[in-house]
Amino acid sequence: MASRSKDKFYERIKEINLIQEMLPESSLNESGEKRNQEKAINRASVVMLCSHIEGYVEDILEEFVEKIRSSRLKSKRIPTILKVMLCRPGLKSLTNSDQNILAKRIPEFIKKYEELWWSEEMMNLENFPEFIRNDWQIGNPWPNVILSYLEKIGIDDFWDDSNRIIKGDLDTLVDKRNLIAHGHFEATATKDDVNRYKDSAIRLVDLLDDAIEKHLENIGK
């Protein structure tokens, strides 16, 4: 079953279709104004598509953590690396050299996260750490960045030879997005390029959704 995040992505992707419909009709004797208009529309499509991929990844990470929380799993079923991420706010409070301060904060930290790490019972919802979205903001959705965040929830084998074309398209898309965002006017894309990147992004989201759903099922077994 599709995630809420995937449904949201499909709604967002409609914006790309709407923008592409604004492209002027091609002709052999196109004016410079029409060529500039086409270039601007395709550049905008690249930037927006990249942002929608970024938004999906951040949304699905949050949705994953919400589902872990609502499943009320025993702590041993929760991936250790995810526990570390969920403890980050508390860990930041321990970066202090004053022993008197640490003498107070360490017991508070242990008490706050004890159930997450050591309980043999199903976790109480009120004791599950709060999801801090700032800790899960990925920035540019480079393939390796996406993998690094998947690893934070316990998935470490997403990219392989079966999806290397999608990975290559994503690399190219993010690279073009950065060039456009930093004022490189020569960085552009054709209508065919945009359609390719859009189709590849849709396949990427499908793959990510399936991988995370399977991961959830395995955690719950």
Side-chain angles (χ1 to χ4, degrees):
M1 186 173 70
S3 66
R4 297 192 311 272
S5 303
K6 181 177 176 180
D7 290 340
K8 190 174 178 181
F9 173 80
Y10 272 91
E11 284 300 311
R12 288 168 168 167
I13 210 74
K14 291 177 182 178
E15 288 186 319
I16 310 297
N17 298 333
L18 289 172
I19 291 176
Q20 286 290 296
E21 288 173 3
M22 297 168 62
L23 285 167
E25 290 292 332
S26 301
S27 66
L28 292 175
N29 299 313
E30 274 188 343
S31 65
E33 183 180 350
K34 278 194 173 181
R35 285 194 296 273
N36 288 337
Q37 183 182 356
E38 181 178 355
K39 187 175 181 180
I41 289 171
N42 286 328
R43 281 160 59 89
S45 297
V46 165
V47 173
M48 188 171 288
L49 179 58
C50 193
S51 296
H52 289 338
I53 294 171
E54 177 184 340
Y56 165 77
V57 174
E58 292 178 353
D59 287 345
I60 195 64
L61 290 170
E62 181 172 5
E63 187 173 344
F64 171 84
V65 174
E66 286 176 354
K67 287 181 177 178
I68 290 289
R69 178 181 183 273
S70 62
S71 296
R72 296 191 62 199
L73 300 170
K74 292 184 178 180
S75 65
K76 65 182 180 181
R77 302 299 307 167
I78 300 173
T80 301
I81 191 67
L82 175 57
K83 293 180 185 180
V84 173
M85 282 295 293
L86 293 172
C87 289
R88 282 188 68 178
L91 290 171
K92 291 174 184 175
S93 72
L94 302 182
T95 57
N96 196 299
S97 59
D98 189 316
Q99 293 185 8
N100 291 322
I101 291 176
L102 289 177
K104 178 183 177 182
R105 290 182 179 175
I106 289 175
E108 291 174 348
F109 175 87
I110 293 173
K111 182 178 180 181
K112 182 175 182 179
Y113 297 106
E114 179 179 12
E115 188 172 345
L116 178 66
W117 286 93
W118 296 295
S119 175
E120 291 297 324
E121 306 296 327
M122 291 183 180
M123 285 202 67
N124 293 317
L125 296 181
E126 60 271 19
N127 293 335
F128 195 91
E130 179 185 0
F131 180 89
I132 308 297
R133 194 171 176 95
N134 283 346
D135 289 340
W136 297 85
Q137 290 181 335
I138 71 168
N140 287 324
W142 296 103
N144 288 342
V145 170
I146 290 177
L147 179 60
S148 73
Y149 277 85
L150 291 177
E151 289 172 342
K152 295 178 194 302
I153 64 172
I155 298 174
D156 56 10
D157 57 353
F158 179 72
W159 296 115
D160 57 30
D161 195 57
S162 69
N163 53 34
R164 60 183 176 80
I165 294 176
I166 293 173
K167 182 180 180 183
D169 285 343
L170 181 59
D171 255 324
T172 303
L173 175 69
V174 178
D175 186 50
K176 286 197 176 194
R177 178 266 168 202
N178 285 349
L179 290 171
I180 292 168
H182 289 93
H184 293 267
F185 193 67
E186 70 280 4
T188 187
T190 65
K191 180 179 180 179
D192 287 343
D193 289 336
V194 172
N195 286 333
R196 175 191 173 109
Y197 301 148
K198 183 184 69 174
D199 291 344
S200 192
I202 289 170
R203 292 198 298 274
L204 170 63
V205 168
D206 288 342
L207 289 173
L208 282 168
D209 235 58
D210 288 345
I212 289 174
E213 183 178 2
K214 289 176 183 174
H215 186 46
L216 276 167
E217 290 174 358
N218 289 334
I219 290 172
K221 288 180 180 177

